[in-house]
Amino acid sequence: MAAARTWSGVYDKPDNLVESFESAVARFGANKFLGTKMVSGNYEWTSYEEVGRRVDDMRAALGGLGVGKDDAVGIIASNRVEWVVAAFATYGLGARFVPMYEKELDSTWEYIVGDAAIKVLFVSTKDVLDRVRKFSERLPQLKAVVLIEGEGPGSFAELEAKGRGKELPSIHPSADDIAVLIYTSGTTGEPKGVLLSHGNCTACSRGGWHLYSELDEHTVSFSHLPWAHSYGFSAELNNFIQFGGAIGLMDSLDTLAEDMPKVAPTILISAPRVFNKIHAKIVETMREEGGLKLKLFNAAVAAAHEKRLSGRGGIRYRLLDKIVLSKIREIFGGRMKGALTASAKMNPSIAEFFFDIGIPVYDCYGLTETSPAITMSHASQYRAGSVGKALQHLDIVIDTSMVSDGSGEGEVVVYGPHVMKGYHKKPEKTAAIMTADGGIRTGDRGRLDADGFLYITGRFKEEYKLNNGKYVYPAELEEDLKLLPYVANALVYGDGMPFNVALIVPEIPVMQRVAKELKLSISVNELLENRQMRELITLEIGNHLRKRFGGYEIPRRIAFIAEDFTVDNGLLTQTLKLKRPLVTEKYRKVIEGLYAEAEAEAAAR
């Protein structure tokens, strides 16, 4: 058996989140840290120094409640100042922080609070508090539930006031002490608690900043991904603390477009779906405008593409940039230098569009179990279609034993200081994913090129085989389908079947416009059932997917469904991944109907 690799030598100081934060407060005290949207609609900023004082008060208050080393403190809240205060107060007691999503099932909250043995739980609103009360009596280890948006007994403000003026020095945990317990929502089964140490967290954020060394105290982000997920937690919150950057907090998804220019970020920690939606909205708007505006838009994009490739702009480009492209950049506030995206791979053509207009979007890749960063792209190391190179101190090995097609592809296995300590109270699950020599099996299929760029080509757990022996990776097909303006969501299915079919959640307004052009009824119900519309979209899907996928992968039959896949109805994880088994089971009769329809047509020929 190979000896396990060790990483103690790469845990550079500071190797814990407490010292990292205290260093930021000392160096960047007067700097803007967190921006919150007020009732007036304007943003009010809280400095590093002010957050530091509040952390000291809350640490003393939690200590007064009996929170100590290795205890668990939880929070059910979206990103906000109090989230940061509660987290770093917890770390300073040697305790572990357990973040949860506000949009979650009560049963999932109850499971996590019980499994993690949470002692003190912060909740955002009265509504969340009322829901927690329904199960809190069944969890005797839960000693206090603290309401953030409220005053008086049991409130965050009251607890903070109790700690004010009481000095309780912080503990500086070791690199191996657990900092956070982040539960993966998972596409199947109960949540798994990922144990991330202080060394995991600091090594991950330091590795990112080592590559993006141009980030400094003038860097501003617009926070719209939850810190309850490891990506936003590490790439944004813990990362920005290192260099004194500022983070403006999204108020809600509904007001994202109007709030982002108020913050005017210089970089976004984001996901491809954000850029996909912005791109789709821009293109659809231009199509609807038509005429001169559409011609100018197309000319501007073409000129920008030529300028990026040749390095020469000229008067024509500068004019079109001022008239057209600058207006697109203003959507982001006008200061954006670039973005980092994860959770799915950027579509190359959409990535190219944003590169051309002056907002480069770089892919990165990782898992909650790797804190999460494994690879990142950057201006200094970029290759279209890849997710970048491994961060410092990380090794990637491709295990080809699961693949016999000679492609050089295999399972991505990762070694390094970002790898989790294990799953909380789940030794069998830990053993199943960890290698004997300290690596972690990602479950993703990929390949490395000669220069070390990683390409993710599928996910072993989601792959299936058609009855002709061809393998299909449905997630990539689904991501491409969602680039079509009339597709809001999609599921591709074909396990053991002769061909693929797809369930399509349509973008109703776009479908109605198409139907109007075809002089069809624009009633929603009739649209969903209209055979002509279904055949038209099936043809469009085939033409679209044929650019990147083989003919055997393209769905031959589709069905429209009215209800979207969402977190609220339990069909998406919190990171917006399909809970494939649940969706398939819910719509099994619809899927079976598509195959029966195809058989009937074949028999009639």
Side-chain angles (χ1 to χ4, degrees), residues 434-463:
M434 301 290 288
T435 65
D437 58 347
I440 190 164
R441 295 189 169 277
T442 66
D444 289 315
R445 175 172 172 150
R447 63 181 175 84
L448 288 168
D449 69 12
D451 297 316
F453 285 92
L454 178 66
Y455 296 78
I456 301 298
T457 56
R459 181 149 182 82
F460 284 106
K461 286 183 180 179
E462 291 187 337
E463 73 175 2

Side-chain angles (χ1 to χ4, degrees), residues 181-495:
L181 184 48
I182 294 181
Y183 281 79
T184 60
S185 46
T187 55
T188 59
E190 63 188 19
K192 298 189 293 288
V194 178
L195 295 162
L196 298 180
S197 70
H198 282 271
N200 289 152
C201 295
T202 52
C204 181
S205 294
R206 184 179 297 112
W209 190 31
H210 176 79
L211 181 59
Y212 279 81
S213 57
E214 68 270 21
L215 301 182
D216 60 21
E217 60 185 294
H218 303 294
T219 302
V220 181
S221 174
F222 181 71
S223 181
H224 57 284
L225 299 180
W227 296 333
H229 186 265
S230 58
Y231 175 40
F233 173 71
S234 287
E236 187 170 63
L237 179 58
N238 295 341
N239 185 25
F240 274 51
I241 285 167
Q242 298 177 107
F243 49 80
I247 303 171
L249 306 174
M250 178 184 73
D251 184 47
S252 78
L253 279 171
D254 295 335
T255 60
L256 182 147
E258 66 184 66
D259 291 341
M260 198 183 303
K262 295 175 183 177
V263 173
T266 59
I267 190 171
L268 280 188
I269 308 301
S270 193
R273 67 180 182 273
V274 173
F275 289 90
N276 292 348
K277 284 185 177 294
I278 291 172
H279 177 264
K281 180 66 175 174
I282 292 168
V283 171
E284 185 63 21
T285 300
M286 290 298 102
R287 282 177 181 165
E288 288 179 358
E289 292 280 356
L292 179 60
K293 285 189 177 180
L294 179 58
K295 288 180 180 178
L296 284 172
F297 172 75
N298 289 335
V301 171
H305 183 67
E306 175 61 29
K307 189 242 182 193
R308 184 168 67 85
L309 294 181
S310 67
R312 298 185 302 275
I315 295 173
R316 181 171 177 270
Y317 163 75
R318 289 196 294 272
L319 183 60
L320 288 168
D321 182 70
K322 184 175 182 179
I323 294 172
V324 180
L325 302 183
S326 65
K327 304 297 189 298
I328 297 175
R329 292 192 292 270
E330 284 300 326
I331 294 172
F332 300 90
R335 298 197 301 171
M336 275 274 288
K337 296 177 181 177
L340 197 65
T341 69
S343 86
K345 196 165 58 175
M346 274 292 290
N347 177 276
S349 63
I350 292 180
E352 186 175 77
F353 170 83
F354 283 103
F355 267 87
D356 288 343
I357 70 168
I359 301 176
V361 180
Y362 298 105
D363 283 295
C364 63
Y365 163 72
L367 315 173
T368 300
E369 290 85 347
T370 54
S371 307
I374 296 172
T375 65
M376 283 187 182
S377 296
H378 179 261
S380 64
Q381 54 178 54
Y382 177 78
R383 192 155 292 173
S386 88
V387 290
K389 290 184 175 183
L391 292 180
Q392 62 172 356
H393 306 310
L394 294 186
D395 292 328
I396 296 173
V397 173
I398 304 298
D399 177 5
T400 58
S401 64
M402 296 174 68
V403 177
S404 57
D405 59 9
S407 64
E409 296 181 359
E411 184 174 15
V412 179
V413 182
V414 181
Y415 296 86
H418 303 190
V419 174
M420 69 172 182
K421 296 302 179 183
Y423 292 123
H424 183 56
K425 298 197 293 191
K426 285 184 167 55
E428 300 86 0
K429 297 282 187 184
T430 302
I433 197 173
M434 301 290 288
T435 65
D437 58 347
I440 190 164
R441 295 189 169 277
T442 66
D444 289 315
R445 175 172 172 150
R447 63 181 175 84
L448 288 168
D449 69 12
D451 297 316
F453 285 92
L454 178 66
Y455 296 78
I456 301 298
T457 56
R459 181 149 182 82
F460 284 106
K461 286 183 180 179
E462 291 187 337
E463 73 175 2
Y464 58 77
K465 190 188 291 187
L466 297 171
N467 68 6
N468 62 7
K470 298 279 191 180
Y471 280 100
V472 174
Y473 299 92
E476 278 205 68
L477 284 159
E478 289 154 0
E479 286 300 316
D480 254 42
L481 279 171
K482 287 185 284 186
L483 297 178
L484 290 166
Y486 27 75
V487 178
N489 229 322
L491 172 119
V492 173
Y493 179 86
D495 189 12

Side-chain angles (χ1 to χ4, degrees), residues 32-45:
K32 292 178 178 179
F33 180 18
L34 301 170
T36 305
K37 185 181 176 182
M38 309 308 289
V39 176
S40 65
N42 297 319
Y43 270 75
E44 185 176 283
W45 291 86

